[in-house]
Structure formats: C-alpha cells, structure tokens
C-alpha cells in the first residue's frame, strides 16, 4: 500500500489556541501507520475477526481526551496498513519523516502507532537510522479500537507521556506497551492474543509508565540513533536481499539453494538452541558463505543469545552470530550493514557485536 502523509492538528490542541499552561506542554507528533490499534470489528466482543488499519489517526486521538493535558499533539496518517504487510518502501518513508520532523525545533518527540506483528522490526530499524536524541516511542494494541476494554487508548496516552519526558531523550527508540517501556533492540512480541504481549526477554523492560509518571530503571548500553553509522538513505533505493531460513527436524537444503540461485546477499538462520543448524542445511549454508553470501546464525528459541563457535565452527565456515537479536531483528541489522558496505564475516561480526 502506498504511504500517505496527511497531516492534521487536533482541534483541542491547536497550537494557535494554546493557553499559557498548554504552551509548556511537550510538542509531540503522532505518526499513524495502521495496525490493530486502528482496527475495527463488527461488534465489541470481536477481538480476532477485525480489519486492521481502518480507523484514522484523528479518531484515535479523539478517543483519548486526556492527551490534551499531556502534550500538544499534531498528527499525521503516514499509512494505514496491517503491519504483516509492512514494506521496505514504507520503512523508508517513515524513517525519513521521523528524521525530518525531529530536525524541527517545534517538535519535542514522536509517537508512532503501529501494528504489533512487525512492530519490533520497525522499532529496531528506526533505533539504528533515526538521527536525533529526541524521544521516538512506538505503541500499538492487541484489541481493535471497537473492542470492549480496548488497550489502544491507554497505550497511546502512555506513549505520548513517555515521548514528552526529558528522561526518554537519548535512550534510542522506545516501545511503550501495557505500562512498560522497552528498548527497540530488546523488545519482542510474545503473545498472539494477550494485552501483555511485549517483553524484553532476558534483560527486561527499561522502565514503566503509569498515571502520567515515567520511571526508567536502566539505560540502553549499545550505540543507537546518533551514534549509529547506519542511514536510511543508504538503503532507500536498494535494499540488499536478505532472507530468513529455519532449522528443524528433517530440514532440507531446498530453501538455501533457491535463495542463492535468486542472488540473495545474506541469509539469517533461525537455528535451534544456540543457533545450531541441521547438518544438511549447514552444508548448504557453508557453500553459500564460500560464494560470498553473509550467513548469520540466530536462534528460534525466543530468548538468550547465540554464542560464537558454540554450535558450529563459525571461523571455519565464515558464519556470523546474532548474539541476542532474534532472526527478524538480525535481518534488519544485516540489511543495514550490507548496504553500508560491510562485506566480510569479520566486519559483519563486529557490527553484530556492537549494535
Ligand atoms: C498488525 O500488526 O497490523 C495487526 C495485528 C496487531 O496490530 O496486533
């Protein structure tokens, strides 16, 4: 779906009618991209048979009148997609729009409403390509806007609250969901239905937001945003083809061979355990690595990290390990690294060890 950038200023928060009290409020741009938070079902008890991304950003904001006491909000409808259909071109549009807005003195922070399905990928991409210390906070919902006890309105209020706080500056891209604040690098979706659907396995959340109060309990250690060398411009016109394959009982080499024949530049393996790979697939991947395809070992387990030379002889095979990144985030980093000109396994391992 083509991205659009319709912009509106919410009437109650129109900057031309600011009171002296509201003038002190942070100025937050809300960029809407679709998702269940903008979903609608035929009735209020339906939380699975709905259409994502059909409710406009004006309506989302109107459902949360208390936003007016938290921030001066301006809103844009960047897209209206089910995030399972997130496209690379839309990532570019979104990242460029975020960078453009954050360059402006009159914007203090950004909130992005997104579908939950690929939120962690978009968040990590922005974590590495936004060039600002100002807060960028993604949020979403597990229940459509039409549902009984819809979780979107409170998640949106909390995200705007976090984006307006000085403590959120310099923390990289954040995800505010179900009262918790997560780093984009760590957070993953862990439930198909529960409203407590996002966690940061192993490391835990950065902090929490509740009733207007925001508290960070730890910081983000790895470099991001301004300290990241990656730029959205480097991938804007040519994303390197990077795909994900799995390792499982009885796996064959068909997928790897097909990808190599298609000219893939990188393959991330969702391996078993510590990124271990079925011998048949590993042979195919070693042959691909010898032809110059970047091979990254990650794990399908869902938490923990993949240690170098733990389950395979990475040095001998020319493989790279993903550390704590899951396969989907490892793919994001590998695309950015390849686009920035990193090519050797040694250089790529350095990237994975750093970002
Ligand atoms: C989506 O990811 O756009 C749909 C699912 C959701 O937001 O929970």
């Amino acid at each position: 779906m083509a991205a659009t950038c319709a912009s509106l200023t919410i009437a109650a928060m129109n900057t031309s009618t600011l009171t002296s009290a509201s003038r002190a409020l942070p100025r937050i741009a809300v960029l809407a991209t679709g998702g269940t938070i903008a979903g609608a079902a035929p009735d209020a008890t339906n939380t699975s048979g709905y259409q994502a991304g059909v409710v406009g950003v004006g309506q989302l904001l109107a459902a949360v009148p208390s936003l007016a006491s938290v921030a001066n909000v301006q809103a844009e409808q960047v897209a209206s997609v089910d995030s399972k259909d997130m496209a690379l071109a839309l990532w570019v549009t979104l990242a460029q729009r975020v960078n453009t807005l954050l360059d402006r003195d009159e914007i203090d922070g950004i909130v992005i409403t997104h579908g939950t399905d690929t939120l962690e990928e978009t968040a990590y991409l922005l974590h590495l390509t936004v060039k600002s210390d100002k807060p960028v906070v993604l949020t979403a919902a597990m229940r459509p806007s039409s549902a009984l006890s819809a979780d979107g309105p409170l998640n949106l209020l909390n995200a705007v609250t976090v984006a307006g706080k000085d403590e959120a500056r310099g923390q990289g891209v954040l995800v505010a969901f179900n009262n918790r604040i997560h780093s984009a690098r760590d957070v993953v979706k862990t439930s198909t239905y529960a409203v407590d659907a996002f966690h940061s396995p192993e490391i835990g959340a950065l902090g929490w937001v509740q009733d207007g109060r925001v508290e960070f309990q730890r910081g983000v250690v790895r470099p991001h945003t301004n300290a990241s060398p990656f730029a959205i411009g480097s991938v804007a016109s040519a994303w390197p083809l990077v795909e994900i394959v799995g390792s499982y009982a009885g796996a064959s080499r068909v997928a790897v061979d097909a990808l190599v024949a298609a000219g893939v530049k990188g393959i991330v393996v969702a391996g078993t355990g510590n990124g271990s790979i079925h011998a048949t697939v590993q042979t195919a991947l070693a042959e691909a690595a010898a032809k110059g395809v970047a091979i990254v070992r990650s794990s399908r387990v869902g938490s923990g990290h993949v240690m170098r030379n733990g389950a395979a002889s990475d040095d001998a095979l020319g493989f790279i390990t993903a550390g704590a990144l899951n396969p989907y985030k490892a793919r994001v980093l590998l695309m950015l690294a390849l686009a920035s000109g990193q090519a050797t396994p040694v250089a790529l391992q350095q990237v994975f060890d750093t970002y």
Side-chain angles (χ1 to χ4, degrees):
M1 162 156 203
T4 54
C5 268
S7 124
L8 63 148
T9 303
I10 302 310
M13 304 158 214
N14 193 315
T15 46
S16 63
T17 59
L18 295 181
T19 64
S20 54
S22 66
R23 223 173 268 128
L25 292 175
R27 296 150 304 176
I28 306 298
V30 174
L31 307 187
T33 68
T36 293
I37 192 168
D43 65 78
T45 56
N46 187 336
T47 59
S48 58
Y50 59 88
Q51 204 179 339
V54 292
V55 175
V57 65
Q59 215 176 313
L60 294 188
L61 295 173
V64 194
S66 43
L67 277 172
S69 60
V70 169
N72 289 308
V73 174
Q74 69 173 62
E76 292 183 13
Q77 192 74 46
V78 176
S80 299
V81 294
D82 186 322
S83 80
K84 72 179 175 56
D85 297 322
M86 181 53 64
L88 301 180
L90 180 49
W91 269 355
V92 173
T93 301
L94 184 61
Q96 288 176 337
R97 189 66 189 141
V98 169
N99 280 322
T100 299
L101 287 169
L102 291 181
D103 262 353
R104 297 187 182 158
D105 289 341
E106 66 270 20
I107 296 291
D108 297 316
I110 289 189
V111 166
I112 299 169
T113 60
H114 198 287
T116 60
D117 286 347
T118 58
L119 180 144
E120 68 208 54
E121 296 168 58
T122 300
Y124 188 46
L125 176 91
L126 295 173
H127 191 64
L128 296 171
T129 57
V130 164
K131 299 301 168 197
S132 174
D133 280 344
K134 294 179 185 173
V136 177
V137 184
L138 279 79
T139 196
M142 289 300 285
R143 295 176 181 154
S145 65
S146 51
L148 278 177
S149 303
D151 51 332
L154 183 57
N155 282 344
L156 179 56
L157 180 66
N158 283 338
V160 172
T161 302
V162 173
K165 296 288 184 192
D166 284 344
E167 303 92 295
R169 289 181 74 109
Q171 303 265 23
V173 171
L174 302 170
V175 173
F177 201 91
N178 202 36
N179 292 104
R180 294 200 184 89
I181 307 164
H182 298 270
S183 167
R185 188 179 199 276
D186 305 329
V187 73
V188 292
K189 183 176 177 179
T190 56
S191 174
T192 58
Y193 71 97
V195 290
D196 195 16
F198 282 85
H199 291 94
S200 297
E202 297 285 308
I203 299 171
L206 292 178
W208 50 263
V209 48
Q210 186 178 12
D211 301 348
R213 202 169 146 207
V214 170
E215 192 170 312
F216 283 89
Q217 291 166 340
R218 68 177 177 90
V220 177
V221 173
R222 290 193 180 225
H224 52 75
T225 53
N226 281 331
S228 152
F230 305 113
I232 200 65
S234 69
V235 282
S237 56
W239 290 84
L241 182 61
V242 175
E243 300 289 347
I244 299 171
V245 299
S247 188
Y248 41 85
S252 80
R253 56 179 293 158
V254 171
V256 173
D257 289 343
L259 289 173
V260 172
V264 75
K265 297 288 183 263
I267 297 175
V268 177
V269 194
T272 40
N274 178 23
S276 55
I277 305 170
H278 190 291
T280 305
V281 179
Q282 183 163 305
T283 300
L285 289 168
E287 290 170 19
K291 291 179 182 154
V293 179
I295 308 296
V296 175
R297 288 195 304 116
S298 64
S299 178
R300 68 183 205 180
V301 165
S303 68
H305 51 237
V306 173
M307 296 278 289
R308 191 163 174 79
N309 288 322
S313 180
D314 296 306
D315 293 341
L317 298 172
F319 290 178
I320 300 129
T321 53
L325 292 178
N326 72 15
Y328 314 101
K329 292 189 189 189
R331 175 175 173 266
V332 170
L333 182 56
L334 185 55
M335 286 192 291
L336 290 172
L338 290 171
S340 76
Q342 306 296 339
T344 66
V346 170
L348 289 167
Q349 187 65 63
Q350 180 69 32
V351 166
F352 274 84
D353 291 347
T354 306
Y355 303 100

